[in-house]
Amino acid sequence: MEKPKQGFAGLWNISFGFFGIQIGFALQNANMSRIFQSLGEDIERLPGLWVAAPLTGLLVQPIVGHMSDRTWLGRLGRRRPYFLAGAILAAIALFVMPESPAIWFAAMMLWILDASLNISMEPFRAFVGDMLRKDQHSVGYAVQTAFIGAGAVVGSLFPSLMEAMGVANVAPPGQIPDTVRYAFWFGGIALFLAVLWTVVTTGEYSPEQMAAFEAGSPGDGSPVRALASHSYGASMLWIGAGLLILLVQHHFALLREVLLLGALLIGYGFASIVAIALARRGNDKNMLSSIVGDFAGMPPLMKRLALVQFFSWSALFIMWINTTPIVAQYHFGTTDAASAAYQDAGNWVGQLFAIYNGVAAVAALTLLPWLARRFGQARTHMVGLACGAVGYGSFFLLRDPSQLIISEIFIGIFWASVLAMPYAILASSLPQAKLGIYMGLFNVFVVVPQLLVATVMGSIMQALFPGEPIYTMAFAAFALLLAIAAMTRVNPPARAQASQG
């Protein structure tokens, strides 16, 4: 039995909620460094404050993926309850964020905002796989990418639009400009309404229908039973790696954020010990053993794509943290976060981010499908990664702020490819009944590199390039060269290649 083919209206409704979610992410990505510095934080400590974003994703996405695979609330469905709950919480956080009286409060609200956005976002990835036939996966993720790009354009441009309308773009030291405040309020409303559109206009397939669609498809066995046969050796290695990081941090007096990375490795090691013990006792219904078992038993293709994602998102997170300080220092000639020049740089970064997201929206529907039909999904993604490396490297060559538009065009093509190609390959290669948990685990390799950047990059820059944030772009470009090398080992199966149109 085959799923019905979705027309334009169906594709639109399935992914429109991502338009609002990405408005929220765009406001966060383009303005959080600006908010932290406006409240008085030093540039070297920005990565530590940003650690909230990847850490919440690391914890939330696998749990939400696991739960959404097992949820069915009648007319509200499987994934849509999570869309709605996350959108309500994220909208509240967007309204409260610009009223932050101090850095600690803004950091706390970033935790809440990012967790809420992840609750809504993670099931949207699986939702495309749930609702579409395999031969529509590429176009489904392309439409989703287009909405991501469009939402990011709106979110990134809104502070500049407010300034053009006469809203104050400069605030007294320790306060957040009105342009940013109104942008976050607008984002909260837009996010909620866009997600509500998808919730109201789409109906999900019932568990019985999904079982009929997957009849005859090979399963992936029981990850919990497979986990019961594992030894505790790998768990001890995770714990040992975490302890080693703690010792290195203490010996070299690295930033305290590095302690969090070691603690997470130790925590996963102990969690896997508990998961294996529960599996050996025959407890195959617990969430911890299921998640750890699925993580340990990831398909080979997913593992290879995960390495590509690791390097790709390392580069992206470096860009999001450092673009505003880089543009302010090297293109507007200031490091004073309270100055008018710095706030002008912040608005220009918002416009640059809008450009790369606009390019991504167009590339996802035009350039990438054309390349994929001719060269395959894997080679197309390699082209996208190469464009990103060129875009980041060009920051060293271009000094006129307007010339950075060239950089953003290349970065936009890269961004479109990151959002579409890996997920299209993956969705056509995984068992549909476990698409939520696998997408959640795949996104671990989106958030782990961000966590690594947030905990380690500050120490590296402080030791090697103090006060010179532009050198972070060299790290980003090099990470994408490693991603290209990793992508050469990814060979999508024939059925994924057949869904490129």
Side-chain angles (χ1 to χ4, degrees):
M1 183 176 177
E2 185 68 89
K3 296 174 187 174
K5 189 170 184 177
Q6 294 284 347
F8 175 77
L11 292 170
W12 176 286
N13 293 337
I14 287 168
S15 291
F16 185 71
F18 229 126
F19 173 75
I21 292 171
Q22 196 58 36
I23 289 176
F25 272 119
L27 288 168
Q28 172 184 296
N29 293 340
N31 293 283
M32 283 313 303
S33 288
R34 179 181 184 181
I35 288 173
F36 287 140
Q37 288 193 282
S38 294
L39 293 173
E41 189 57 277
D42 295 331
I43 185 173
E44 287 81 7
R45 294 187 59 82
L46 289 181
L49 292 170
W50 271 87
V51 76
L55 183 57
T56 51
L58 180 66
L59 298 175
V60 168
Q61 290 187 11
I63 294 173
V64 171
H66 173 87
M67 293 175 63
S68 68
D69 280 339
R70 290 159 172 76
T71 295
W72 183 253
L73 297 182
R75 294 182 63 183
L76 196 55
R78 176 182 297 103
R79 315 291 182 188
R80 290 178 297 160
Y82 299 92
F83 300 166
L84 190 58
I88 293 171
L89 294 172
I92 294 171
L94 285 167
F95 269 85
V96 175
M97 175 71 77
E99 299 301 318
S100 299
I103 293 170
W104 69 266
F105 189 89
M108 180 184 70
M109 292 310 304
L110 178 58
W111 280 76
I112 296 172
L113 174 60
D114 202 83
S116 305
L117 291 171
N118 274 287
I119 290 171
S120 280
M121 181 196 72
E122 197 286 326
F124 259 104
R125 295 294 192 190
F127 194 51
V128 173
D130 288 346
M131 301 300 295
L132 299 181
R133 298 161 20 157
K134 286 183 170 62
D135 62 357
Q136 285 196 295
H137 282 168
S138 284
V139 69
Y141 285 106
V143 170
Q144 191 174 88
T145 298
F147 276 126
I148 291 172
V153 168
V154 174
S156 299
L157 281 180
F158 203 78
S160 296
L161 294 176
M162 288 289 95
E163 184 183 20
M165 295 170 62
V167 177
N169 190 48
V170 178
Q175 297 185 26
I176 298 168
D178 284 343
T179 50
V180 176
R181 179 177 287 108
Y182 294 162
F184 272 66
W185 293 347
F186 161 79
I189 296 171
L191 184 152
F192 177 74
L193 292 178
V195 172
L196 187 63
W197 177 279
T198 291
V199 171
V200 171
T201 60
T202 56
E204 298 184 64
Y205 297 119
S206 68
E208 294 76 19
Q209 289 174 306
M210 292 297 289
F213 293 142
E214 290 301 303
S217 298
D220 66 335
S222 170
V224 178
R225 284 197 294 270
L227 186 65
S229 64
H230 287 207
S231 72
Y232 294 111
S235 303
M236 300 309 297
L237 288 176
W238 286 108
I239 294 172
L243 291 173
L244 179 61
I245 289 175
L246 298 186
L247 291 173
V248 170
Q249 188 278 337
H250 177 74
H251 181 76
F252 292 101
L254 302 179
L255 295 179
R256 287 178 297 175
E257 287 80 9
V258 177
L259 294 173
L260 179 60
L261 182 61
L264 282 172
L265 295 179
I266 295 171
Y268 178 75
F270 280 112
S272 64
I273 289 174
V274 174
I276 293 171
L278 290 172
R280 289 181 175 180
R281 293 175 186 172
N283 186 346
D284 59 357
K285 301 297 183 183
N286 69 90
M287 182 189 300
L288 179 61
S289 294
S290 295
I291 292 175
V292 173
D294 282 321
F295 184 76
M298 286 189 300
L301 177 69
M302 185 174 169
K303 293 178 181 178
R304 293 170 182 171
L305 272 173
L307 184 61
V308 178
Q309 290 289 85
F310 178 87
F311 293 124
S312 302
W313 284 86
S314 295
L316 284 164
F317 201 62
I318 287 172
M319 176 187 72
W320 289 331
I321 292 177
N322 294 289
T323 299
T324 296
I326 288 170
V327 171
Q329 181 172 339
Y330 295 94
H331 300 86
F332 284 78
T334 183
T335 57
D336 181 5
S339 67
Y342 184 94
Q343 299 302 331
D344 288 340
N347 278 4
W348 180 236
V349 169
Q351 294 177 48
L352 291 175
F353 281 19
I355 289 169
Y356 89 70
N357 280 288
V359 170
V362 175
L365 296 177
T366 56
L367 178 62
L368 295 185
W370 180 83
L371 289 173
R373 284 194 299 271
R374 283 156 178 77
F375 305 109
Q377 293 170 327
R379 290 191 180 94
T380 297
H381 194 39
M382 291 171 69
V383 171
L385 295 169
C387 286
V390 171
Y392 292 137
S394 66
F395 270 76
F396 286 87
L397 304 176
L398 306 176
R399 282 293 177 265
D400 186 330
S402 62
Q403 293 176 341
L404 294 178
I405 293 174
I406 299 172
S407 306
E408 300 305 318
I409 291 173
F410 283 99
I411 292 172
I413 297 171
F414 159 58
W415 180 228
S417 188
V418 166
L419 292 175
M421 287 297 132
Y423 294 98
I425 295 171
L426 203 61
S428 300
S429 310
L430 295 175
Q432 298 296 294
K434 304 193 70 173
L435 203 52
I437 180 59
Y438 276 134
M439 286 295 182
L441 291 173
F442 190 59
N443 282 332
V444 166
F445 297 95
V446 169
V447 298
V448 165
Q450 298 178 48
L451 183 61
L452 188 64
V453 169
T455 55
V456 174
M457 184 57 69
S459 295
I460 293 174
M461 293 304 298
Q462 192 176 62
L464 301 179
F465 307 106
E468 298 289 342
I470 196 168
Y471 284 98
T472 59
M473 288 298 183
F475 285 94
F478 180 68
L480 291 186
L481 295 179
L482 295 176
I484 293 171
M487 195 65 201
T488 61
R489 300 181 63 246
V490 175
N491 298 303
R495 59 179 173 171
Q497 295 288 6
S499 69
Q500 290 165 181

